């Protein structure tokens, strides 16, 4: 405890007293020099100018198109003039196979060695890693690695600072010194290196070499994550999972573990599964697997309930496995378990718009046909889901058959909400229209509109879809005057409630209907209004589409006048 107390005091001193960020490189201001002037300087023998040109083309800075071939040309010119950072960057290209070079560790080592001799701290640190791992023909030599990290750190290379701090922390290649580890981690942090913040954060969160302070650790880890070091997300995920130093938040933990996985943490997958399992266990307080399955069934139909679909599916699989293995339980009957699990899986995947929903939906409906287990609302929902898939493939008759069945069910259900009935009516009417059953579609939409007006009022936005569909029905039945009347009403409601997407669409549809009704002047006025609206509220595609519509009108009018 005394050692941790002393190291904590030391870090507080380093935090207050250590010099701030590393001074900028001498060539930093050259990035503001015009490209042509920079090239003239480089041609005249300015190594810094040549290096900066290489970096600009290497990274695509200063609005220059990334061009690694040109980058290498300038780096090589700078290297020939003795520029150590240029040598380091060429070495990095060889190490990782970037740009025009295939991966070649021997050449990378050679350039790192040249860069180190030229005084580049970054090259020293990179060469230190080669000695750490025993790469590129070098024997593993931790003492030599530490010496290089120390040289690089003292020259201001923040990555070398982190590596040197880690060696002091573990005692690898040098005598173990927690205080020196903290010093170099703190220096790296002050130099803007997020790995320094991460290592300090881990030390404080777990209390490894300092007195444990979870909240301070979390602040440092958050700074590391904000700095782009995704691996820092792992310990932050642990904090949110355990509720240590912060509130327990499994959703946030799941997000952080996934981010850590993107950052290369191999153990993140295990953490993700652990959190998903815990989330799934919390869906129901019941111990009995049959009751847990029923609780999931109820939960998925609660529109106010938020949950992770991945956690739900994992818990569903666990419950079903437990039920199927329980041979003495009547609820373990295979069709019974498969039917209910397929219902849950299919429903949540459908709501998630995952195309994989079709298989479990079909399975649930097939089992229900032989062993009824679905409630009327569940049966209607799954029939609707299957109909949507048919409609997506333009299999209108199959979709119509299923939508009719779903509508029959919800009409007969005294507890069905009006929104549910109206949705079933409009879904069926849409498919009827697409199948050229215009009269039946119109009658159904007319009934739906009358019911919606009673339920919501005559100018509620909920009417927009039904009015638009009914106008399309009338237009298809060659009643343009009725279509115009409905489209005008749709536009008025959209404008009253300032629903921009609906306004643009209504202007266009009303213009087309007006043209068909013989009101060419009115159609032109509406198309011009559409253009003006798009210019005020839309993007370039909206504007181009609106102008194309107006030009199309002029072309049609020109043909008529001929």
């Amino acid at each position: 405890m005394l050692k941790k107390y002393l190291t904590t005091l030391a870090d507080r001193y380093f935090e207050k007293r250590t010099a701030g960020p590393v001074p900028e490189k001498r060539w930093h201001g050259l990035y503001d020099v015009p490209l042509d002037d920079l090239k003239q300087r480089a041609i005249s023998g300015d190594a810094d100018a040549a290096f900066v040109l290489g970096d600009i083309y290497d990274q695509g800075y200063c609005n220059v198109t990334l061009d690694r071939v040109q980058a290498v040309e300038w780096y090589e010119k700078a290297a020939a003039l003795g520029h150590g950072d240029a040598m380091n960057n060429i070495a990095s290209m060889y190490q990782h196979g970037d740009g025009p070079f295939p991966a070649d560790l021997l050449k990378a080592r050679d350039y790192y060695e040249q860069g180190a001799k030229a005084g580049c701290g970054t090259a020293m640190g990179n060469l230190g890693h080669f000695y750490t791992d025993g790469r590129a023909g070098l024997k593993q030599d931790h003492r030599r690695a530490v010496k290089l990290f120390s040289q690089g750190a003292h020259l201001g290379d923040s990555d070398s600072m982190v590596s040197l701090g880690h060696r002091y922390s573990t005692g690898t290649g040098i005598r173990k010194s927690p205080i020196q580890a903290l010093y170099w981690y703190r220096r790296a942090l002050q130099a803007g290196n997020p790995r320094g913040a991460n290592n300090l954060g881990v030390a404080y969160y777990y209390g490894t070499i300092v007195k444990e302070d979870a909240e301070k650790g979390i602040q440092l880890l958050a700074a590391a994550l904000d700095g782009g070091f995704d691996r820092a997300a792992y310990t932050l995920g642990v904090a949110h999972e355990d509720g240590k130093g912060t509130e327990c938040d499994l959703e946030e933990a799941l997000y952080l573990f996934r981010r850590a996985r993107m950052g290369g943490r191999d153990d993140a997958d295990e953490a993700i599964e652990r959190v998903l399992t815990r989330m799934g266990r919390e869906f129901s307080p019941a111990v009995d697997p049959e009751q847990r399955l029923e609780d999931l069934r109820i939960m998925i139909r609660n529109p106010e309930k938020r949950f992770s679909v991945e956690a739900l599916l994992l818990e569903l699989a666990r419950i079903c496995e437990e039920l199927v293995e329980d041979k003495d339980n009547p609820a373990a009957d295979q069709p019974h378990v498969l039917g209910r699990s397929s219902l849950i899986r299919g429903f949540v995947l459908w709501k998630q718009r995952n195309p994989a929903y079709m298989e479990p939906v079909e399975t649930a409906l097939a089992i229900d046909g032989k062993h009824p287990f679905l409630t009327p609302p569940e049966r209607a929902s799954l029939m609707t889901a299957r109909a949507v898939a048919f409609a997506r493939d333009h299999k209108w008759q199959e979709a119509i058959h299923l939508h009719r069945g779903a509508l029959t069910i919800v009409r007969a259900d005294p507890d069905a909400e009006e929104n549910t009935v109206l949705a079933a009516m409009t879904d069926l009417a849409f498919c009827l229209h697409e199948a050229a059953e215009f009269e039946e579609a119109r009658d159904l939409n007319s009934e739906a509109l009358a019911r919606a007006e009673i339920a919501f009022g005559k100018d509620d936005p909920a009417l927009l879809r039904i009015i638009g569909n009914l106008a399309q029905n009338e237009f298809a039945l060659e009643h343009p005057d009725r279509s115009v009347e409905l489209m005008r009403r749709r536009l008025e409601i959209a404008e009253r409630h300032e629903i921009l997407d609906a306004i643009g669409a209504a202007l266009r549809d009303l213009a087309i209907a007006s043209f068909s009704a013989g009101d060419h002047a009115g159609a032109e006025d509406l198309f011009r209004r559409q253009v003006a609206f798009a210019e005020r509220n839309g993007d370039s595609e909206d504007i181009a589409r609106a102008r194309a519509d107006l030009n199309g009108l002029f072309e049609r009018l020109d043909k008529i006048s001929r």
Side-chain angles (χ1 to χ4, degrees), residues 309-335:
V309 171
E310 195 173 353
L312 175 99
L313 296 178
L314 190 66
E315 176 66 5
L316 180 63
R318 190 191 67 79
I319 293 172
C320 290
E321 183 179 359
E322 188 175 344
L323 276 170
V324 170
E325 289 177 353
D326 186 3
K327 305 299 183 183
D328 297 329
N329 187 346
D333 175 67
Q334 184 70 19

Side-chain angles (χ1 to χ4, degrees), residues 128-298:
H129 287 297
F130 273 40
Y131 277 105
T132 296
D133 301 332
R135 282 185 285 177
L138 296 172
K139 290 184 179 180
Q140 189 178 62
D141 188 337
H142 291 298
R143 289 184 179 275
R144 177 64 177 157
V146 167
K147 184 177 180 180
L148 286 163
F149 290 143
S150 179
Q151 291 173 338
H154 282 91
L155 286 171
D157 179 56
S158 63
D159 283 331
S160 294
M161 295 174 189
V162 175
S163 298
L164 183 59
H166 178 66
R167 295 323 184 269
Y168 274 118
S169 175
T170 60
T172 306
I174 197 170
R175 186 176 179 179
K176 191 172 183 179
S177 174
I179 289 179
Q180 285 292 323
L182 291 169
Y183 171 78
W184 286 111
Y185 289 155
R186 182 64 66 177
R187 283 289 307 277
L189 168 60
Q190 291 168 340
N193 192 309
R195 289 173 58 218
N198 174 75
N199 290 10
L200 277 173
V202 170
Y204 274 103
Y205 186 79
Y206 291 109
T208 52
I209 57 177
V210 289
K211 186 178 178 181
E212 184 179 301
D213 186 337
E215 291 186 4
K216 185 170 185 176
I218 288 171
Q219 290 175 357
L220 288 161
L221 289 163
L225 191 60
D226 289 343
F229 189 63
D230 284 345
R231 292 168 67 90
Y234 185 88
T235 308
L236 285 171
V238 171
H240 284 283
E241 179 187 7
D242 296 341
K244 176 183 170 182
T246 186
E247 292 184 5
C248 178
D249 186 336
L250 294 183
E251 287 190 9
E252 183 67 11
L254 187 61
Y255 161 76
L256 288 164
F257 284 136
R258 283 175 171 155
R259 186 163 175 182
R261 180 174 60 187
M262 292 174 59
R265 284 289 299 241
D266 296 333
D267 49 355
D269 283 328
E270 181 182 343
I272 289 169
E273 184 171 352
R274 184 175 67 240
V275 171
L276 287 171
T277 299
R278 181 174 167 185
M279 293 171 74
R281 301 271 183 167
E282 293 182 359
F283 287 150
S284 168
V287 176
D288 177 63
E290 184 180 6
Q291 183 57 53
R292 291 184 67 81
L293 189 63
E294 187 60 28
D295 288 345
L296 294 185
R297 181 176 179 174
I298 295 170

Side-chain angles (χ1 to χ4, degrees), residues 515 520 551-562:
F515 181 85
H520 297 171
N551 291 333
L553 172 69
F554 291 147
E555 290 174 4
R556 288 191 292 273
L557 290 174
D558 184 57
K559 288 180 181 179
I560 292 172
S561 65
R562 293 178 186 176

Side-chain angles (χ1 to χ4, degrees), residues 322-385:
E322 188 175 344
L323 276 170
V324 170
E325 289 177 353
D326 186 3
K327 305 299 183 183
D328 297 329
N329 187 346
D333 175 67
Q334 184 70 19
H336 183 70
V337 173
L338 182 59
R340 288 194 294 172
S341 64
S342 295
L343 157 68
I344 295 169
R345 185 167 179 265
F347 186 83
V348 297
L349 290 176
W350 175 47
K351 290 298 183 182
Q352 199 183 31
R353 298 185 178 180
N354 186 327
Y357 77 80
M358 269 300 292
E359 180 182 350
V361 163
E362 289 181 345
T363 299
L365 287 172
I367 291 174
D368 184 62
K370 296 180 179 179
H371 309 279
F373 72 96
L374 295 172
T375 64
E378 290 171 342
R379 191 172 293 114
S381 292
L382 295 192
M383 292 174 73
T384 299

Side-chain angles (χ1 to χ4, degrees), residues 91 93-97 101-109:
M93 285 183 166
Y94 274 119
Q95 180 180 350
H96 302 102
F101 299 136
D104 188 329
L105 292 183
L106 290 175
K107 287 187 176 180
R109 168 193 163 186

